[in-house]
Amino acid sequence: MSVPIKRTLEKIPGGMMLVPLLIGAVINTAHSGTGEFFGSFTGALFSGSLTILAVFYVCMGATIELRTTPYILKKGGVLLVVKAVIAVVVGVVAGHFLHEAPVHGGVFAGLSTLAMVAALNDTNGGLYMALMGQFGKPRDAAAYSLMSLESGPFLTMLTLGVAGLSAFPWQTMLGAILPLIVGMVIGNLDPEMRRFLGAAVPVCIPFFAFALGSGIDLASVWTAGLLGLGLGVFVLVVSGGSLFVTDKLIGGNGLAGLAAASTAGNAAAVPALVAAANPAYQEAADRATVLVAASVVVTSLLTPVITAAYHRRLLRTDPESVRGTGTPATPPDTPGTPDAPAAPDTPGVGTREDTAAGPAALAPEGNTHR
């Protein structure tokens, strides 16, 4: 008898990340000493998130190709910088009122600067590439090869430091990005190693997600559902609006900006990594992990809807702007649009797992990294 576990998980937005995270949290809530009780290798599965994440970022770095065309450099570089600037602005404003600790009571209980910055700083790569493959141009999808530099806790640490909150020593900052750099060097020196290490990226995700969940007590984060929904909408509006305008300003049609307005599945790992590097964020980390995970689901569901709706509008009002994209321009009086091809397998583009990449139909099976 065959049970379609993988296929079922992939139908859930962010399933490969969120389901193991939830399983770990349920076990920890029911019995917080499960890992210590079994010890040995089983115990390591409950407590080894940092080690697994270190391996994950080496493998992720190997998928990033340094050679880029001027167009990719312009598109990916500008979107990356703007998204980082947005997170800095939000971090400065939120940090002024909240500092490092989370809100302790009321409707916003559990919300923290760490949660907002982590949710804003990392784009869902699988979702972006799937949407650009369907509605954009192949080179727009390839722009993600540069945007994937936002992977990991480094950008969040940098943002929190710039925002004037508890900073991190340079050794810690370097250590946060070093695995990614090592992976980039290996992958660019040897294409075979890029393929070898890149294949391990999605494999790591359920394991570090389970380990992260094993440190979460669901009883303390029961309010995260509604608050997480609000955080996801906040990311979509703030990030999506800014990136949409930016894409238009650099000559795009706005689709790439909207497609990048999401939270990556592995962004849920960032709060724990930041707290491990600086204990000042420990109080905020557990609830931030759940809030960011909720933002992953919300943005994965809404980003495709908004991007597709805007694409339909362009087909009616400005068909020339989408000519040569994944979906052929359809005259306004022609009902429907033909089925779009799947996202192209663009060489050298890092495809971080985001089985969080929204509806399964939008995320081609080959683009499930991160």
Side-chain angles (χ1 to χ4, degrees):
M1 182 182 69
S2 176
V3 180
I5 298 174
K6 181 174 181 289
R7 191 176 304 170
T8 301
L9 289 175
E10 289 175 342
K11 289 180 179 179
I12 303 170
M16 283 293 183
M17 173 77 190
L18 298 178
V19 173
L21 182 83
L22 181 60
I23 292 173
V26 169
I27 293 174
N28 182 62
T29 303
H31 187 270
S32 60
T34 303
E36 291 83 353
F37 176 79
F38 288 104
S40 189
F41 300 120
T42 301
L45 283 174
F46 282 81
S47 59
S49 59
L50 294 182
T51 303
I52 300 170
L53 281 164
V55 175
F56 173 81
Y57 287 121
V58 172
C59 296
M60 181 61 234
T63 67
I64 301 173
E65 188 169 0
L66 296 179
R67 293 175 298 174
T68 58
T69 66
Y71 179 88
I72 293 174
L73 186 63
K74 175 185 175 183
K75 174 78 77 171
V78 170
L79 292 179
L80 172 65
V81 170
V82 170
K83 190 150 191 177
V85 169
I86 295 168
V88 169
V89 172
V90 171
V92 169
V93 174
H96 177 74
F97 295 100
L98 302 178
H99 304 290
E100 294 88 359
V103 177
H104 291 289
V107 178
F108 297 102
L111 185 65
S112 62
T113 306
L114 175 59
M116 288 187 278
V117 170
L120 283 166
N121 259 337
D122 215 346
T123 300
N124 183 325
L127 178 59
Y128 174 82
M129 292 185 63
L131 292 174
M132 285 296 94
Q134 184 172 0
F135 302 126
K137 301 173 183 177
R139 59 181 184 173
D140 287 332
Y144 183 72
S145 61
L146 192 60
M147 293 168 64
S148 60
L149 289 171
E150 64 193 1
S151 294
F154 175 78
L155 202 57
T156 297
M157 290 179 177
L158 185 64
T159 301
L160 293 171
V162 172
L165 302 179
S166 293
F168 303 84
W170 70 266
Q171 298 96 326
T172 302
M173 296 287 288
L174 178 60
I177 199 172
L178 197 54
L180 196 72
I181 294 174
V182 170
M184 288 172 61
V185 172
I186 295 173
N188 281 273
L189 288 176
D190 186 354
E192 290 188 11
M193 284 299 293
R194 176 188 297 132
R195 290 190 290 271
F196 172 73
L197 293 174
V201 172
V203 177
C204 294
I205 289 169
F207 292 100
F208 76 66
F210 176 80
L212 288 171
S214 298
I216 296 174
D217 185 352
L218 291 178
S220 66
V221 292
W222 64 272
T223 58
L226 186 59
L227 193 57
L229 174 64
L231 180 60
V233 173
F234 173 78
V235 170
L236 195 63
V237 172
V238 174
S239 183
S242 302
L243 295 175
F244 173 79
V245 172
T246 300
D247 190 30
K248 298 277 282 186
L249 289 176
I250 61 175
N253 55 19
L255 284 171
L258 292 177
S262 59
T263 302
N266 67 313
V270 170
L273 292 172
V274 170
N278 190 333
Y281 297 97
Q282 189 63 56
E283 185 182 1
D286 286 353
R287 295 191 180 189
T289 297
V290 178
L291 288 173
V292 174
S295 179
V296 172
V297 176
V298 173
T299 57
S300 295
L301 292 173
L302 296 183
T303 298
V305 174
I306 293 173
T307 305
Y310 181 65
H311 181 260
R312 288 194 296 270
R313 181 177 180 275
L314 286 177
L315 287 174
R316 294 193 306 270
T317 60
D318 188 13
E320 286 298 320
S321 69
V322 291
R323 203 171 289 281
T325 62
T327 304
T330 305
D333 57 346
T334 303
T337 58
D339 291 337
D345 186 11
T346 309
V349 177
T351 53
R352 294 176 287 174
E353 205 264 4
D354 273 306
T355 35
L362 283 175
E365 189 172 344
N367 281 339
T368 56
H369 296 325
R370 185 164 146 184

